[in-house]
């Protein structure tokens, strides 16, 4: 068990479940997910050391377009489902009235940044992976840096917005990234974060099989109350939240139910598939995603969607 809860300093935890890497099969090692008895923050234990954790992130963990027909269709699909993320950020920056670039933390291959550029935004990317930053530059024309946010080479109060899509759950100290973002944002700048929602119906129904816990890559699993506390203690005021992502919610349920059909998981596992088998699995996975849409939309409409996207600004107090 952990010695201390990073959110409330409690020393009392309860075990929720034990699991290994169900999605990518990078390890057979078993990990526990525990919950703080006081504030209910969920965390992985034992948390792998950085040198060990790196092994659980395959080199092609992020999407990079290839020349194949299937890859081109995948990029078209990704552009389609990313549009609600782009619209969410566009509205936040417009209503902030601030000028300056949008910094995407954990930018991966930079497709999201390219879509923002296409809408006239100045952008910058940041990622742990040098390969990801290189793809962002070369394939998506998005300037990207390989660094941690605390050590990022950007001027204080230079950003109109900082975005973190599925980043906080991977960090040893998520609050340190929120504080670093606070320093980088202009006075009226916006912070946009998205994480899996551990208060969703999918987690209640599926438990350890829910894709959102993603053992062992997710070090923490957040509920809305956890995010509220972290934002408040880091100097932010929550403005808006959304429980549905067209990119993540239906696909997340499909992957939870059939991880062996997930296209990225198959690519990372280097599954041996002929062209007909690959097409059949892609079509079956796509059908499962479509079938998951009504449930995930209803779940989100009830405030229990499997992701939570938040817009926040610096506290004016």
């Amino acid at each position: 068990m952990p010695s201390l809860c990073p959110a409330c300093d409690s020393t009392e935890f309860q075990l929720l479940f034990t699991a290994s890497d169900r999605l990518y099969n990078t390890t057979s090692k078993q990990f526990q997910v525990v919950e703080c008895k006081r504030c209910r923050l969920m965390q992985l234990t034992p948390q792998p050391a950085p040198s060990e954790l790196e092994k659980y992130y395959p080199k092609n963990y992020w999407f990079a377009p290839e020349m194949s027909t299937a890859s081109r269709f995948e990029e078209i699909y990704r552009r389609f489902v990313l549009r609600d993320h782009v619209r969410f950020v566009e509205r936040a920056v417009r209503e902030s009235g601030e000028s300056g670039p949008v910094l995407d933390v954990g930018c991966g291959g930079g497709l999201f940044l390219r879509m923002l550029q296409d809408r006239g935004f100045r952008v910058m990317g940041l990622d742990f992976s040098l390969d990801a930053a290189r793809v962002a530059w070369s394939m998506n024309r998005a300037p990207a840096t390989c660094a941690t946010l605390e050590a990022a080479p950007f001027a204080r109060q230079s950003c109109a917005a900082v975005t973190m899509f599925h980043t906080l759950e991977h960090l040893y100290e998520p609050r340190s990234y929120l504080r670093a973002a606070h320093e980088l944002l202009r006075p009226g700048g916006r912070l946009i974060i998205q994480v899996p929602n551990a208060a969703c119906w999918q987690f209640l129904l599926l438990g350890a099989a829910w894709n959102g816990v993603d053992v062992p890559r997710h070090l923490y699993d957040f509920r809305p109350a956890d995010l509220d506390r972290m934002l408040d203690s880091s100097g932010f005021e929550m403005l808006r939240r959304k429980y549905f992502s067209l990119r993540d919610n239906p696909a997340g349920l499909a992957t939870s139910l059939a991880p062996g059909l997930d296209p990225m998981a198959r690519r990372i596992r280097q599954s041996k598939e002929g062209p007909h088998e690959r097409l059949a699995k892609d079509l079956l996975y796509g059908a499962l995603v479509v079938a998951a849409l009504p449930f995930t939309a209803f779940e989100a409409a009830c405030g229990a969607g499997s992701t939570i996207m938040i817009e926040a600004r610096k506290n004016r107090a």
Side-chain angles (χ1 to χ4, degrees), residues 40-266:
R40 298 190 66 207
L41 177 67
M42 295 164 53
Q43 61 179 295
L44 186 76
T45 184
Q47 290 192 347
S51 59
E52 180 186 354
L53 187 60
E54 184 179 356
K55 299 175 184 177
Y56 305 143
Y57 287 89
K59 290 185 178 180
N60 52 345
Y61 179 71
W62 35 270
F63 174 73
E66 300 171 355
M67 298 304 295
S68 67
T69 301
S71 182
R72 287 195 291 271
F73 276 117
E74 186 174 356
E75 182 168 5
I76 292 170
Y77 169 77
R78 285 174 178 269
R79 280 180 169 273
F80 175 73
V81 297
L82 272 172
R83 288 190 301 177
D84 62 339
H85 292 65
V86 172
R87 286 194 294 264
F88 193 92
V89 173
E90 186 176 32
R91 172 182 163 182
V93 176
R94 183 180 66 248
E95 293 181 353
S96 76
E98 289 287 4
S99 60
V102 175
L103 172 63
D104 185 32
V105 181
C107 67
L111 179 59
F112 171 70
L113 289 174
R114 183 172 182 175
M115 292 175 69
L116 284 176
Q117 281 184 314
D118 291 343
R119 289 176 176 250
F121 287 92
R122 292 161 51 203
V123 300
M124 302 184 298
L126 190 76
D127 203 280
F128 287 135
S129 167
L130 182 60
D131 289 334
R134 187 179 293 116
V135 169
W137 274 101
S138 62
M139 293 190 174
N140 287 308
R141 306 189 308 273
T145 301
C146 181
T148 63
L149 189 59
E150 300 98 326
F154 307 128
R156 190 171 174 271
Q157 293 193 6
S158 61
C159 297
V162 174
T163 64
M164 302 182 194
F165 292 100
H166 293 273
T167 298
L168 288 181
E169 64 269 29
H170 296 269
L171 302 174
Y172 289 103
E173 297 181 9
R175 190 176 280 111
S176 69
Y177 261 47
L178 295 180
R179 289 170 178 161
H182 193 279
E183 289 294 310
L184 289 172
L185 283 169
R186 295 182 59 78
R190 297 295 195 259
L191 172 68
I192 292 95
I193 60 176
Q194 184 191 34
V195 297
N197 176 19
C200 69
W201 291 354
Q202 290 183 41
F203 181 50
L204 294 176
L205 292 169
L206 300 172
W210 176 49
N211 188 55
V213 295
D214 198 21
V215 173
R217 285 164 291 276
H218 289 185
L219 305 181
Y220 294 97
D221 300 294
F222 301 106
R223 298 181 176 94
D226 302 319
L227 295 174
D228 291 344
R229 282 191 295 269
M230 280 204 310
L231 288 169
D232 183 65
S233 66
S234 302
F236 286 101
E237 172 189 3
M238 201 276 292
L239 296 177
R240 182 169 50 123
R241 69 177 78 207
K242 180 182 179 183
Y243 290 97
F244 184 77
S245 162
L246 186 59
R247 181 190 71 172
D248 300 302
N249 292 38
L253 179 54
T255 297
S256 298
L257 297 174
L261 292 179
D262 183 283
M264 181 173 284
R266 286 157 41 215

Side-chain angles (χ1 to χ4, degrees), residues 27-45:
T27 180
S28 59
K29 183 177 178 178
Q30 294 291 311
F31 297 84
Q32 294 181 337
V33 173
V34 300
E35 180 183 73
C36 173
K37 287 187 176 181
R38 181 185 297 172
C39 73
R40 298 190 66 207
L41 177 67
M42 295 164 53
Q43 61 179 295
L44 186 76
T45 184

